[in-house]
Amino acid sequence: MRYVQGKYPLLAKNNIARGIYEMNILAPDLAALAVPGQFVHIALAGHSLRRPISICRIDEAHGVIKIVFALKGQGTRDLADVPVNSTLDIMGPMGNGFTLLEPGRKVILIGGGIGVPPMVGLSDYYREYATAISGFRDASIKILQDEFEKNGSRTILCTDDGSAGIHGFVTQPLEELLSSDGHYDCVYACGPMPMLKVISGICGKYDTLCQVSLEQHMGCGIGACLVCAVNIRRDGEEHFLHVCKDGPVFDSREVVW
Amino acid sequence: MAELKVNINGNEFKNPVIVSSGVFGYGREYEEFVDLSKLGGVATKGTTLYRRDGNPGKRIVEVPSGLLFSVGLQNPGIDYYIENELPNLLSKGTNVLSNIAGSDIDEYVAIVEKLEETDAPIIELNISCPNTSGAPLGTSCAGTEKITSIIRKMTKKTLIVKLSPNVGDIAEIALAAEAAGADAVSLINSIHAMKIELGSRRPFFHNNVGAYSGEAIFPIALRMVWETASKVKIPVLGIGGVTNGEEALQMMVAGATCVEMGCAIFRDPYAPLKIIEQMNEWLDNNGVKDINEIIGSVKPW
């Protein structure tokens, strides 16, 4: 693994939906190392712990990374208050990103809520060969659909309350695609654990490779402090592995749901 | 440049700063940032006889001025440590404190029997893990004296006993460790603490309680180090919430020979090196030529 740590200029900040912010950060060395699915670990004044935020897009040519995050607690509120043109203390890129197949393979990208942002980096790679299924509680927190469309990725939008797109969960269109629409080489998913569990089950049923990105309360971010444990079955045994170093991406068949 | 070398039981430390047990694994991860040879020492992750998976569920949460954690001694076991991690650490040009933990005396004995076959120079006997079930041995004078004397008879390695703050009088526990033959005591381990999620009425941790670390505990740790250092004759290693050089020096003025630092590294992976630089700068600015002059130099009212 290779990381960098430093202070990087915040180029732009936008409130893109209710309680959701995007930030573009100038970090050429970090952008050169990063792959989709990795995250950055951000230090904020007055907080003992850094905040892990997934990388949404990597623009290596311009040395810029984009992050998108939801306001969850004081840490993310303080992050959202950082003024444009000041700097952010960032460690990254952290963790293992998604395993990428060769371009041109057909894949499904599934994001639930604030699990959608890392799917954009995959859409940047697979482009028109990707189908992006996004699920939100309601239309007020719908994000990033334009980004998928500009890449030529097909978008399927779901909301829990029917205020936009399909009234229902992301698992319905997933099952329809896998059962009727021919072959997909991989499903990538990020979002709440109950959603990932159901997706994992559906992919198992159709024998489709599924990579999930998991979340856990995190400390050091590099695998030293052992706090961000997830139960993973590997080599016939269950282990508490760590989201920061062993993940955040795991093969869904290994996760002990 | 002040002289920063200190000595504990014949082990020379090039400076007094040790990264404490639990935040640093076995050193491999933070080596991406920190040249281990620049550190006074590294205290390893608490290691048990067999592999332990640690506690289920969430294990860390930020609280005011610090954090709570509940890892439960996840580690690969002493055989793995001896075979795969200890030789690597011993090659790094720093002092290695092999931190060991057991759930009963037999387990400590079995671990030390294995360490006796190695070149590990220093044992940090963790009798104070806050996040495993049952009261640790280190919460009574009798328990402390018993385990320390048993381990003392087994080994000539430098024996540091790591003490719990979750006791009535930590200096009495330190005296018990000293009487039983400890070469030094390190304190404090973390403070029992708790968080409850209001909506579910559930404690945040599956173990119900966790342990409080970070800058909030520094004044408490400093007080305990001072109380202990003024009673025992053996060296004291000060631990707890140290985030900068001046705090590290306060620990030494209170009587600590070495200072272990932990959680500050989560915010700043270079924190141990910065603390060493800041200590040196203060000593230079204040005309102190040798850091040993300040150990225990507090002038109580």
Side-chain angles (χ1 to χ4, degrees):
Chain A
M1 273 193 209
R2 264 209 67 199
Y3 334 94
V4 293
Q5 183 264 337
K7 294 198 166 159
Y8 297 99
L10 174 58
L11 300 177
K13 168 173 82 168
N14 293 302
N15 180 199
I16 58 171
R18 189 167 50 84
I20 300 176
Y21 286 78
E22 69 171 15
M23 286 180 166
N24 288 332
I25 300 157
L26 183 64
D29 52 354
L30 204 155
L33 293 167
V35 295
Q38 289 187 295
F39 64 95
V40 290
H41 217 23
I42 305 179
L44 296 159
H47 292 276
S48 304
L49 291 176
R50 287 172 179 264
R51 295 301 190 275
I53 309 279
S54 66
I55 297 170
C56 173
R57 294 187 106 155
I58 305 151
D59 179 351
E60 198 184 336
H62 297 97
V64 174
I65 58 161
K66 184 203 286 286
I67 58 170
V68 173
F69 60 93
L71 303 183
K72 290 268 175 74
Q74 196 55 48
T76 41
R77 281 198 290 275
D78 289 347
L79 177 57
D81 284 343
V82 173
V84 172
N85 295 326
S86 60
T87 58
L88 285 165
D89 178 341
I90 298 179
M91 267 166 81
M94 324 292 293
N96 300 302
F98 293 107
T99 301
L100 301 173
L101 312 177
E102 55 269 41
R105 294 294 198 92
K106 273 175 73 186
V107 299
I108 299 171
L109 317 177
I110 311 177
I114 204 61
V116 172
M119 295 300 132
V120 178
L122 290 168
S123 163
D124 289 340
Y125 178 79
Y126 288 108
R127 308 196 71 87
E128 67 269 31
Y129 298 96
T131 299
I133 309 174
S134 306
F136 302 99
R137 263 196 326 277
D138 59 65
S140 73
I141 51 171
K142 171 174 75 95
I143 50 170
L144 300 169
Q145 299 304 293
D146 291 351
E147 272 76 357
F148 292 122
E149 280 160 16
K150 281 180 206 149
N151 281 336
S153 302
R154 178 182 170 197
T155 56
I156 300 174
L157 174 66
C158 309
T159 52
D160 297 358
D161 68 351
S163 53
I166 298 169
H167 186 178
F169 297 126
V170 294
T171 45
Q172 291 167 239
L174 171 66
E175 178 121 35
E176 285 164 25
L177 287 176
L178 290 182
S179 63
S180 63
D181 206 7
H183 181 75
Y184 290 89
D185 292 302
C186 189
V187 171
Y188 297 91
C190 182
M193 280 300 263
M195 177 192 103
L196 296 178
K197 181 181 178 180
V198 177
I199 290 169
S200 174
I202 294 170
C203 290
K205 183 170 147 193
Y206 293 97
D207 201 23
T208 303
L209 180 64
C210 177
Q211 299 179 42
V212 291
S213 177
L214 304 183
E215 204 174 36
Q216 182 55 283
H217 289 258
M218 197 174 281
C220 69
I222 61 174
C225 76
L226 311 181
V227 299
C228 54
V230 285
N231 198 1
I232 298 294
R233 191 183 297 105
R234 198 170 275 181
D235 306 324
E237 250 189 301
E238 289 183 15
H239 307 261
F240 279 134
L241 297 186
H242 299 95
V243 166
C244 69
K245 187 184 184 184
D246 304 302
V249 177
F250 292 93
D251 184 323
S252 72
R253 290 166 298 192
E254 292 188 319
V255 180
V256 181
W257 303 99
Chain B
M1 179 83 194
E3 178 61 74
L4 294 180
K5 273 189 215 134
V6 295
N7 192 296
I8 290 180
N9 197 40
N11 301 281
E12 185 172 278
F13 289 70
K14 59 177 66 103
N15 62 64
V17 176
I18 299 166
V19 183
S20 66
S21 177
V23 299
F24 210 65
Y26 298 116
R28 290 187 190 271
E29 290 80 15
Y30 274 108
E31 222 181 343
E32 296 266 347
F33 301 99
V34 178
D35 175 356
L36 302 189
S37 74
K38 299 273 197 287
L39 302 174
V42 170
T44 66
K45 175 70 196 173
T47 302
T48 51
L49 183 56
Y50 300 112
R51 184 187 112 183
R52 273 180 69 102
D53 281 341
N55 295 336
K58 293 173 283 196
R59 294 179 175 184
I60 195 168
V61 65
E62 189 177 280
V63 290
S65 301
L67 49 98
L68 304 185
F69 67 92
S70 174
V71 177
L73 285 174
Q74 179 168 17
N75 79 90
I78 194 70
D79 288 341
Y80 183 94
Y81 170 67
I82 289 171
E83 192 160 327
N84 299 289
E85 301 293 354
L86 177 63
N88 178 57
L89 270 174
L90 289 176
S91 73
K92 298 297 179 184
T94 191
N95 282 297
V96 180
L97 285 66
S98 298
N99 184 295
I100 62 167
S103 49
D104 55 31
I105 287 174
D106 290 346
E107 184 172 358
Y108 285 101
V109 166
I111 296 166
V112 174
E113 275 172 359
K114 288 172 184 280
L115 276 177
E116 275 304 276
E117 309 291 311
T118 73
D119 294 330
I122 305 170
I123 294 172
E124 186 174 43
L125 195 67
N126 178 2
I127 57 171
S128 50
C129 179
N131 287 322
T132 49
S133 56
L137 287 160
T139 51
S140 75
C141 290
T144 302
E145 186 154 7
K146 186 171 183 195
I147 181 69
T148 306
S149 62
I150 288 170
I151 301 303
R152 174 76 287 170
K153 290 187 188 89
M154 294 177 66
T155 184
K156 291 194 162 52
K157 295 181 190 296
T158 296
L159 180 61
I160 300 171
V161 179
K162 184 167 180 178
L163 306 182
S164 170
N166 305 305
V167 296
D169 184 348
I170 196 166
E172 289 299 315
I173 307 270
L175 285 167
E178 179 178 47
D183 296 310
V185 286
S186 57
L187 62 139
I188 59 173
N189 208 319
S190 303
I191 299 173
H192 275 157
M194 190 176 194
K195 180 183 172 77
I196 292 173
E197 292 184 324
L198 266 186
S200 63
R201 274 72 154 176
R202 285 280 199 186
F204 186 84
F205 296 122
H206 278 224
N207 224 21
N208 297 318
V209 299
Y212 202 172
S213 287
E215 54 190 311
I217 75 166
F218 171 73
I220 301 168
L222 183 65
R223 186 265 295 176
M224 290 189 170
V225 165
W226 175 62
E227 285 177 350
T228 301
S230 49
K231 291 227 174 124
V232 299
K233 294 186 179 63
I234 52 177
V236 173
L237 293 82
I239 317 171
V242 171
T243 59
N244 60 51
E246 292 203 10
E247 288 171 349
L249 287 166
Q250 285 189 58
M251 281 284 195
M252 297 187 73
V253 169
T257 302
C258 282
V259 178
E260 297 191 19
M261 60 77 55
C263 296
I265 203 168
F266 293 161
R267 238 192 96 79
D268 182 357
Y270 300 102
L273 303 180
K274 288 181 186 166
I275 289 171
I276 296 165
E277 277 167 31
Q278 290 160 358
M279 292 171 87
N280 187 54
E281 199 179 308
W282 189 93
L283 295 170
D284 284 351
N285 290 342
N286 289 275
V288 182
K289 300 252 176 332
D290 184 337
I291 200 165
N292 288 281
E293 291 168 24
I294 69 151
I295 298 173
S297 62
V298 61
K299 299 172 185 170
W301 295 100

